[in-house]
Amino acid sequence: MNRFLVGMASEIPEGSKKIIQAEGRSVGIYNIEGQYYALRNTCPHQGAELCSGITASYITSNGPGDFAYEREGELVRCPWHQWEFDIKTGCMITDPKMRTKTYDVTVERYDVSVEENQLYVHI
Amino acid sequence: MAISESKTPEKKVRMKRSIIDCDVHHLAPVSAIKDNLPRFYRDQIDLWGWRLPGPIYLNGGVQGLTVDSTPPDGSNPTGGRGDMEYLRTQHMDPFNVEYGILTGSDYSFQASPDPDYAAALCSALNDYTIEHWTSKDSRLKGSAFIAKQDPLLAAKEIDRIGSHPDMVQVIVASGAEKPYGNRFYHPIYEACVRHNLPFNIHVLTEGLGINTGPTGAGYVTYYPEYRAARPQVMMAHLASFIFEGVFEKFPTLKVVLQEAGAFWIAPFLWKLDADWKSLRFQTPWVKKAPSEYFRSNVRVTSQPIEAPPSTELFQQMMKAVYADECMMYCSDFPHWDFDSPLLTFPKLDDATWERIFYQNAADLYELPARRIEQGGTQV
Ligand code: FES
């Protein structure tokens, strides 16, 4: 497994993402409530750049006219046909067997005198 | 807050052989053509606005477009990034589109009760498409809008613009007052035949303005229902063409069914054929089985292609709709339900691929064979 420098942790504040190239692959790194997650930036459906899609919540309902928002910012909707994927697992919401690859992300913490933590994705 | 680090990706050409894309939406909103309208309509727009029924009441994606067609500044004007540069760099070049048939972006006038106004808008839009689009990139071909509300005015527009080399078909919305086989519309088909232009029915404006409701059971609430209703509307048009005897009266007329899906056609033709066997004597001018008229006179574009649960079923459905003869690939770029030419279809045998991604459209629109550097034979 190789590790690739994503950048400084402060570059991806909570609720945001960054798309990087690593070993010729495009990977999206998300910060959800202080935890980092990495997704292969390719939709398993027709190959759109998944991570350029909208970051969304999981909307549920008890019936018509009722809408509840859960898991704020934990889903990505593909930019093309809007299939929803769980950022934490890479699984598609309506069909979890369909998934995009996920990767581990680590944060290297340096000496306290260094202000920024370095973020690595492992591929 | 989202960091948009996703700078426009550099797409490499991945299609080896070039393709013809039969449904490319170019930016051609009525708002762009006000100056081209007669003074009366300009005055009227200044006084009362555009007086056009609104767009469909729901959509997918972001205002109906793929998210990656939203300009980097986040603005997303209606019609989105249908601009020339975007079309070239994000679609025509990366997918090696040899020809793209332009189908516009605004069909609101197809639901207007005012036929003169609709006809004026059509003329201005057609000129706009030639001036701003087809004359700027030889890969692009246009579709001539007509005011189907008044078939005589429509025929006049076909006579005006139909022999322009960049206009390859006549286009209307599927939303209509009467199904398109009705004799009311026949002056349109006379003109199409005169200029050897296919008549393309593209979904839109069902249930709007003067057009009938989106389903026979009334109006629907949600967008998936609206999409599900499109084949119903197309079915009505298809049966109407056949049983009103349009293809007997105009044997060379070609009709294109666009964006209502494709595989519903199979059981529908089986049904029409069965009923024709029993009821032939009611419409004795219908000389052939309905499926025969379909094969000789009707073409269907692929997007949004239904996704059967297995490749085997997919292949069977392709056979059942005579895809080798009748289906033409299209993407619907840049709309949100865009079908990628690379990944929408399972692997097709070479000959079938060639028919669907190139030859059927080349035959219909009389476009040249692909150039040799595009994997073709023409030097
Ligand atoms: S390509 Fe992602 S949903 Fe279709």
Side-chain angles (χ1 to χ4, degrees):
Chain A
M1 219 184 325
N2 288 329
R3 50 179 223 160
F4 295 87
L5 179 63
V6 174
M8 299 298 185
S10 62
E11 281 176 58
I12 314 179
E14 269 189 41
S16 67
K17 69 179 177 212
K18 180 178 178 180
I19 295 171
I20 64 150
Q21 299 295 325
E23 241 175 27
R25 295 189 194 92
S26 182
V27 175
I29 321 291
Y30 288 80
N31 179 343
I32 300 172
E33 290 172 340
Q35 294 293 318
Y36 296 94
Y37 302 91
L39 287 187
R40 179 86 187 262
N41 187 17
T42 303
C43 179
H45 179 220
Q46 289 190 17
E49 302 193 13
L50 182 60
C51 302
S52 64
I54 291 170
T55 307
S57 308
Y58 181 48
I59 301 177
T60 61
S61 173
N62 290 319
D66 173 65
F67 305 98
Y69 284 71
E70 292 172 13
R71 305 175 55 195
E72 293 289 342
E74 292 187 22
L75 269 54
V76 54
R77 290 191 196 139
C78 178
W80 288 359
H81 315 100
Q82 307 288 319
W83 288 13
E84 297 172 297
F85 292 85
D86 184 333
I87 294 168
K88 292 183 172 173
T89 63
C91 291
M92 187 188 172
I93 296 298
T94 55
D95 179 7
K97 288 193 301 299
M98 178 75 100
R99 57 192 299 179
T100 190
K101 225 172 151 31
T102 55
Y103 304 102
D104 290 336
V105 184
T106 54
V107 186
E108 297 269 315
R109 295 179 197 283
Y110 290 106
D111 205 299
V112 277
S113 63
V114 179
E115 308 235 301
E116 304 258 40
N117 298 325
Q118 307 259 43
L119 216 56
Y120 291 91
V121 63
H122 301 265
I123 290 184
Chain B
M1 189 192 72
I3 298 181
S4 64
E5 282 277 338
S6 44
K7 10 119 195 127
T8 307
E10 290 230 354
K11 289 188 184 165
K12 290 182 239 92
V13 172
R14 289 175 296 175
M15 300 293 295
K16 267 213 217 79
R17 284 176 290 183
S18 64
I19 60 171
I20 297 177
D21 183 346
C22 294
D23 190 14
V24 175
H25 288 283
H26 69 303
L27 200 55
V30 291
S31 56
I33 52 151
K34 186 180 160 198
D35 293 345
N36 301 26
L37 292 172
R39 177 175 166 194
F40 176 77
Y41 294 118
R42 279 183 280 131
D43 287 351
Q44 164 170 303
I45 291 159
D46 288 340
L47 286 173
W48 306 309
W50 283 88
R51 291 194 311 120
L52 290 167
I56 53 172
Y57 45 91
L58 274 171
N59 214 323
V62 176
Q63 292 183 25
L65 303 165
T66 61
V67 173
D68 49 11
S69 70
T70 303
D73 65 1
S75 67
N76 194 1
T78 307
R81 289 294 296 281
D83 64 70
M84 182 70 94
E85 208 26 48
Y86 183 73
L87 173 60
R88 281 180 182 149
T89 58
Q90 296 299 299
H91 188 61
M92 302 291 284
D93 298 341
F95 289 122
N96 204 356
V97 178
E98 180 107 20
Y99 292 103
I101 314 296
L102 299 177
T103 47
S105 51
D106 183 343
Y107 288 39
S108 53
F109 49 88
Q110 291 277 300
S112 165
D114 182 340
D116 295 308
Y117 182 37
L121 291 171
C122 286
S123 295
L125 275 171
N126 293 337
D127 291 342
Y128 179 87
T129 292
I130 291 169
E131 189 187 333
H132 293 276
W133 290 87
T134 60
S135 62
K136 301 216 165 124
D137 191 322
S138 60
R139 291 174 295 181
L140 301 176
K141 298 289 171 190
S143 309
F145 281 109
I146 53 166
K148 44 79 171 170
Q149 295 92 328
D150 184 329
L152 292 177
L153 285 180
K156 212 166 135 191
E157 178 64 8
I158 297 170
D159 286 335
R160 185 186 77 89
I161 203 88
S163 50
H164 191 286
D166 284 343
M167 282 293 173
V168 296
Q169 70 183 351
V170 165
I171 194 166
V172 296
S174 61
E177 294 165 90
K178 300 176 198 296
Y180 280 127
N182 193 285
R183 66 189 65 175
F184 171 76
Y185 297 108
H186 291 194
I188 296 175
Y189 309 136
E190 273 163 33
C192 285
V193 166
R194 255 197 313 280
H195 297 278
N196 204 17
L197 294 173
F199 178 78
N200 181 308
I201 308 171
H202 187 295
V203 294
L204 264 185
T205 76
E206 314 95 300
L208 291 179
I210 51 166
N211 298 333
T212 56
T215 81
Y219 283 78
V220 296
T221 310
Y222 304 110
Y223 185 55
E225 297 174 86
Y226 201 92
R227 290 170 67 83
R230 289 169 171 176
Q232 297 177 24
V233 177
M234 238 19 135
M235 281 175 188
H237 291 314
L238 178 55
S240 173
F241 273 110
I242 290 166
F243 290 105
E244 298 262 357
V246 178
F247 299 131
E248 282 298 326
K249 190 169 167 189
F250 305 105
T252 60
L253 178 70
K254 293 281 196 301
V255 171
V256 182
L257 311 179
Q258 189 144 67
E259 213 180 326
F263 291 155
W264 57 267
I265 289 168
F268 191 62
L269 290 179
W270 303 337
K271 177 181 176 52
L272 296 185
D273 280 3
D275 287 343
W276 174 73
K277 284 177 194 156
S278 308
L279 299 166
R280 190 214 57 80
F281 62 89
Q282 259 192 29
T283 55
W285 51 86
V286 181
K287 301 273 193 272
K288 304 189 282 188
S291 58
E292 289 301 309
Y293 290 108
F294 178 80
R295 292 170 72 173
S296 56
N297 295 80
V298 182
R299 299 292 174 264
V300 58
T301 57
S302 58
Q303 185 278 341
I305 193 91
E306 298 89 342
S310 74
T311 302
E312 195 194 349
L313 258 181
F314 191 98
Q315 311 286 17
Q316 283 170 359
M317 294 308 290
M318 292 288 275
K319 210 178 274 171
V321 300
Y322 310 99
D324 277 350
E325 304 160 47
C326 299
M327 185 184 282
M328 309 187 294
Y329 166 76
C330 74
S331 69
D332 199 25
F333 181 88
H335 291 173
W336 76 280
D337 48 353
F338 165 81
D339 269 349
S340 161
L342 285 163
L343 292 168
T344 301
F345 286 78
K347 199 168 164 29
L348 303 174
D349 67 74
D350 229 42
T352 305
W353 188 93
E354 192 61 33
R355 299 295 318 172
I356 290 165
F357 280 87
Y358 203 96
Q359 203 53 46
N360 287 342
D363 291 346
L364 182 73
Y365 297 120
E366 299 183 326
L367 298 169
R370 68 161 71 75
R371 285 165 286 129
I372 193 120
E373 68 272 24
Q374 302 284 28
T377 49
Q378 198 201 345
V379 189

